[in-house]
Amino acid sequence: MARVREQLAAAWRTGVPMAALEAEHGLDRFQIARQFRQCYGVSPRRFLTLERLRRAEALLVAGEGLAATAHAAGFADQSHFTRQFRGAYGLTPALWRRLSTHPVA
């Protein structure tokens, strides 16, 4: 599963087709999903989303706009990015950026 994780992390923007993972690792998609979740606590799809969000954080702190960040991080659009970000962090990207660049004393 470490190799699967490495492949997913390397292809964070475009993702890796499950068929490619199946062929390379000799497991079907259900085995991959089950074993990945056991090892890392999230599904391969969720891992990709979290990796994209992690990369988007750096762009937000650097002052990149929300739409540009969404595109650069591999999300379909700003709305999709905002929904995923809020689901993962409980805050909108704009509010997260304000709090991370101007921490409350």
Side-chain angles (χ1 to χ4, degrees), residues 11-59:
W12 63 272
R13 193 161 195 306
T14 58
V16 179
M18 261 319 219
L21 293 175
E22 289 177 271
E24 185 168 334
H25 299 286
L27 301 168
D28 68 37
R29 66 188 64 229
F30 304 108
Q31 291 170 317
I32 291 171
R34 188 171 36 255
Q35 289 179 24
F36 195 90
R37 182 172 279 127
Q38 286 174 343
C39 289
Y40 301 108
V42 293
S43 68
R45 170 55 84 195
R46 185 65 178 159
F47 175 82
L48 267 179
T49 299
L50 293 173
E51 187 67 19
R52 289 174 178 155
L53 290 171
R54 186 179 70 76
R55 301 203 185 233
E57 287 176 18
L59 295 171

Side-chain angles (χ1 to χ4, degrees), residues 59-71:
L59 295 171
L60 290 172
V61 170
E64 192 70 47
L66 295 179
T69 296
H71 177 70

Side-chain angles (χ1 to χ4, degrees), residues 46 50 53-54 57 84-92 96:
R46 185 65 178 159
L50 293 173
L53 290 171
R54 186 179 70 76
E57 287 176 18
Q84 294 296 320
F85 197 96
R86 186 179 305 158
Y89 300 115
L91 303 168
T92 64
W96 182 90

Side-chain angles (χ1 to χ4, degrees), residues 73-93:
F75 291 96
D77 53 36
Q78 182 180 340
S79 175
H80 179 226
F81 168 57
T82 299
R83 280 192 312 275
Q84 294 296 320
F85 197 96
R86 186 179 305 158
Y89 300 115
L91 303 168
T92 64

